[in-house]
Amino acid sequence: MTATFKTPDTSTLTAWYALDPIWQGTEPQIQQGLPHSQLAPAWQMVLLGDGSPTRYLQLLTGEPTTIDLIDMSPVGLFRDRAPEQILQVPGPRVRRQVWLMNGGQRTAYAASWWEQSHVDEYLQNRSLPIWASLAKLRTELYRDVQGIYYGHSKEIAEAFGHPGPFWGRHYLFWHRGQPLTLIYEVFSPVLERYLGKP
């Protein structure tokens, strides 16, 4: 069944949770890597690597990664306060927000923006993490990390039960040479028990 979305009234859109950065890095820093005094190697592998975070979270915690779907809203051609790479994802767009869960604990937050006409094709089961949905379809992807952040969010702090600051990133998924989706992720400090201090 194909979902239909109306043109959004941007004044009533559900907010998404961007970090208010204390520090942020760009693509050249991401490619080179950060000094280990700034971000520990294990955290760099999760944040700057091109592997699947939902798979990493499952391997780290020993628990399957599930999602708690917060919101799925049409945003049309609205920029939505998203990173500038959103302009590479064709519109009109749909924004999806989830908490990633492992063993009953929130391990990450993610917002993603999808071309409205393809969202049903790639997210056939909305209750699955993106990685699981795309793996079922055998979709070949390239994860292109474009930005990294260290900062605060009141909403994320409340959800994680931790005052922060938090590490986050955003990236484009490329498929067949075209941008498929833009994803913004923030990781919980609960991961310190598996990765050590950032």
Side-chain angles (χ1 to χ4, degrees):
M1 181 170 122
T2 301
T4 57
F5 297 101
K6 297 185 292 186
T7 301
D9 173 358
T10 56
S11 67
T12 61
L13 274 178
T14 303
W16 69 278
Y17 311 138
L19 292 177
D20 180 16
I22 300 166
W23 176 88
Q24 63 186 63
T26 57
E27 195 174 5
Q29 291 161 303
I30 291 162
Q31 294 303 318
Q32 181 178 342
L34 303 178
H36 292 176
S37 58
Q38 184 178 8
L39 185 62
W43 280 85
Q44 291 200 48
M45 289 177 69
V46 171
L47 282 159
L48 306 182
D50 58 6
S52 165
T54 51
R55 179 76 173 136
Y56 287 161
L57 291 172
Q58 181 172 324
L59 294 172
L60 286 170
T61 64
E63 299 285 346
T65 301
T66 59
I67 63 160
D68 178 9
L69 181 63
I70 305 169
D71 173 57
M72 197 143 178
S73 298
V75 296
L77 299 174
F78 183 51
R79 171 79 185 265
D80 202 25
R81 298 182 308 109
E84 66 182 25
Q85 287 82 9
I86 193 173
L87 300 175
Q88 295 182 53
V89 177
R93 293 178 283 271
V94 173
R95 187 217 312 130
R96 179 181 193 243
Q97 295 185 77
V98 301
W99 297 111
L100 297 176
M101 311 284 292
N102 296 85
Q105 62 188 353
R106 288 180 176 151
T107 48
Y109 161 79
S112 57
W113 292 264
W114 298 79
E115 184 178 357
Q116 181 175 309
S117 62
H118 291 306
V119 71
D120 291 319
E121 177 183 350
Y122 293 108
L123 298 179
Q124 293 174 1
N125 184 342
R126 306 285 169 91
S127 66
L128 290 177
I130 290 171
W131 169 74
S133 292
L134 297 176
K136 279 182 178 278
L137 297 171
R138 301 286 193 257
T139 305
E140 294 180 19
L141 298 167
Y142 170 63
R143 182 179 280 102
D144 185 9
V145 182
Q146 298 278 318
I148 183 170
Y149 308 91
Y150 185 61
H152 292 280
S153 163
K154 178 179 164 232
E155 296 85 1
I156 290 176
E158 288 174 3
F160 286 161
H162 190 285
F166 308 102
W167 283 97
R169 66 178 184 171
H170 76 268
Y171 55 89
L172 283 167
F173 259 157
W174 292 82
H175 176 53
R176 295 183 184 147
Q178 300 296 319
L180 176 64
T181 182
L182 172 67
I183 301 179
Y184 186 103
E185 295 169 335
V186 179
F187 293 90
S188 170
V190 75
L191 297 178
E192 290 181 16
R193 77 177 61 156
Y194 310 103
L195 295 169
K197 293 280 188 190

